[in-house]
Amino acid sequence: MTASCRFDCLALNASDPAAAADWYARHFDGELLEGFAGAGARFRAGSGTADLHWRGAEAPGPSIGTGLDHSGWSVDNLDDLHAAMLADGATEFWEPRHFGPAKLYISFVTDPWGAKIELLEDATHPGFHHVHILGPDCEQDRSWLLERAPGPTETFKDILLAVNYGTMRVLFRQTDDELEPTAGRAIDHLAWTSAAGGGRHTSPTGVDIQVRET
């Protein structure tokens, strides 16, 4: 692997990929994209260059309970957007609140296809903000990812270990919960591109990633 690794997409599953992409574009002001191979849909996220890709799956399991727990989105109208998502088929997981030592204003919902979403207010990085990987050992999880998808390391808000890929971050949180594999769930895998390629990998906690050759 080389330092040229670039985050490419968040891959999801939904019973109606086109409706899912439209739902995200509607709420996050993104761009619907044409030309996705197979029975799926694409959406370009926020101010970054990363895409979200959906493929069809009749009943994907929820992202909750896997090592890819949720995607995070930085917005400036959190209360209004949280309410709008609930009115548009989302399920509330956490109502808006200030949380943690950094007092970040956040909330959580689950989209109509089972993917958990965090809304947060972080003016330094609007739009698609992060994904959250769970596991029993954050240092080990980050080291595993860095070996396959290298990027600059940091500690987000002086609390969470992270890798910052520019258009988004991967954050790591400790849990002792038993985790299911991500493949086939509402959030399926993460993908990067690299001059060195790398193939498909599954972490010890079942998180799927793909590193493709540029």
Side-chain angles (χ1 to χ4, degrees):
M1 273 315 152
T2 70
S4 63
C5 196
R6 182 194 71 207
F7 186 75
D8 182 30
C9 78
L10 175 66
L12 304 99
N13 294 303
S15 56
D16 189 336
D22 183 68
W23 192 90
Y24 276 72
R26 186 162 62 249
H27 291 295
F28 290 120
D29 274 339
E31 176 189 3
L32 291 172
L33 303 175
E34 301 294 333
F36 184 61
R42 297 171 64 196
F43 160 68
R44 178 151 291 158
S47 59
T49 57
D51 296 352
L52 276 66
H53 294 181
W54 285 265
R55 288 195 180 276
E58 281 304 311
S63 65
I64 296 169
T66 76
L68 267 177
D69 184 73
H70 66 269
S71 63
W73 300 76
S74 178
V75 300
D76 59 8
N77 58 341
L78 190 151
D79 290 321
D80 291 342
L81 184 54
H82 182 93
M85 287 180 162
L86 297 184
D88 197 19
T91 302
E92 187 171 65
F93 189 83
W94 270 21
E95 64 183 13
R97 66 187 69 180
H98 290 94
F99 180 76
K103 298 297 182 184
L104 277 175
Y105 195 53
I106 67 173
S107 71
F108 286 95
V109 302
T110 302
D111 77 17
W113 299 273
K116 186 179 171 186
I117 296 169
E118 178 181 355
L119 302 177
L120 71 154
E121 293 183 350
D122 181 3
T124 64
H125 190 138
F128 185 34
H129 189 273
H130 69 266
V131 297
H132 222 129
I133 288 181
L134 307 184
D137 188 327
C138 296
E139 290 276 9
Q140 179 177 298
D141 290 340
R142 185 167 72 168
S143 294
W144 182 90
L145 180 62
L146 286 169
E147 289 177 6
R148 294 154 182 84
T153 61
E154 64 180 28
T155 304
F156 179 64
K157 300 295 183 182
D158 296 322
I159 303 170
L160 297 172
L161 295 182
V163 183
N164 190 335
Y165 293 99
T167 57
M168 55 79 76
R169 293 176 174 89
V170 177
L171 306 179
F172 300 85
R173 181 169 66 81
Q174 191 272 337
T175 182
D176 293 323
D177 293 344
E178 187 174 344
L179 300 170
E180 296 292 329
T182 63
R185 303 291 282 252
I187 301 179
D188 190 276
H189 68 274
L190 307 170
W192 286 261
T193 54
S194 168
R200 194 77 175 253
H201 309 276
T202 302
S203 79
T205 55
V207 175
D208 262 23
I209 71 167
Q210 183 177 16
V211 183
R212 298 178 282 205
E213 189 172 358
T214 53

